[in-house]
Amino acid sequence: LVVNVEPLIDKNYLEDFIKSGGNTKTTAFQKLNENLLNIRNFNRREDTFLFSIFILKKDPSNQNYYFIIDTNKNTYGQSYPEFMERGLKRMQGKSGAYIYPTEKGDKIVGYTPIYDSGGKLLAILGVEQGRDQVYMGLEKLLLYGLIAFAISIFVAVFFAYFLSKLVSSSLTLLSKTVKSIGAGDFSQCKKLNTKDEFSDLSIAINAMAKGLKERERLKEGFARYVSHHAMEELIKQDNPVSLKGERKKATILFSDIKGFTTMSEELDPEEVLNILNEYYAKMIEVIFKYGGTLDKFIGDGLMVEFGVPLEDNLQEYHAVLAAIHMHLELEKLSNKWEKEGKHRLEMGIGIHSGFAVLGNIG
């Protein structure tokens, strides 16, 4: 505190007062005294209560200190207490503070040198405070610090709890979404509006779910042409199947309903469509059972391939078994249709096996 007070001292009045030999009737004394009283009164607060501000000077004849001016009415030339000079003598031109026991309790006195405009030591400034007041201020500061620390801990715990709940709720929602997607339910996509990494993760999961949904749709569409076993085997392969200009052994099965054109001319279009759908459903079921691949529908005919796209060492055998089974299933359907008052159907099947160039055209 004394270091902060020193620049507030008007050194011009101080020099004039010293030169006057301590004449209290001069303007210099009045201004200097007013200067010190203002500084003291300004700093008489609960946290920094000043008892007095005084200025000392060393007597060159005996090296003892005496008062120049003191807000506690010590007069010019009055000797500074001898027991308090020990702190001054340890200063060695520097600032310092020392504790002195007195009848009214311990006091803390701070000292700092005052230099004139030429850098010459002019006097010593002293500021006197009660130690109890300083300690009380420190205790209050400590108390306020503990209260602030407790409040900060409470706020930190509150925000930590809030953030942990936010994170855990986001993770729980994302976990449920991933589990639902893993179970095949792609409608459980959730978007988080948290504007953080979890929001980015939810967007990525939704994109993944969309991609998986499209993949399942493609699988379902592909399953209309090959058996599920063939489809799963194709998906497991590391390299995509390429049929572009590939020479490969294949067994081709063609089937055709005999007299279907004449029969269809006698029936309504809706009835023809119903018959074909029921017929094709059974035939494709049989074809897939024996590992065949549906190439195309040709009106009331079928073109089926065995041995492609997956290898089948028994492709001819499977093709013949499929043909026999197709006839058996058509016999069952015809018996059913006959009971319903509909026409019976007969089917012709042709099978050929050999090497063929397989690929895409157009």
Side-chain angles (χ1 to χ4, degrees), residues 4 42 56 61 66 104 134 145 176 185 232 247 295 298 307 319 331 335:
N4 295 328
F42 178 79
L56 305 173
S61 61
Y66 62 89
K104 297 182 179 180
V134 174
K176 289 182 179 178
D185 184 4
E232 294 297 334
R247 182 181 290 271
D295 189 291
I298 312 171
E331 184 68 20
N335 292 336

Side-chain angles (χ1 to χ4, degrees), residues 45-72:
R45 305 189 302 270
E46 290 186 6
D47 55 342
T48 56
F49 188 87
L50 298 187
F51 284 114
S52 67
I53 298 177
F54 54 89
I55 298 175
L56 305 173
K57 194 169 178 59
K58 183 186 287 188
D59 188 343
S61 61
N62 56 19
Q63 299 297 311
N64 292 328
Y65 288 89
Y66 62 89
F67 285 99
I68 298 297
I69 189 171
D70 181 14
T71 56
N72 276 359

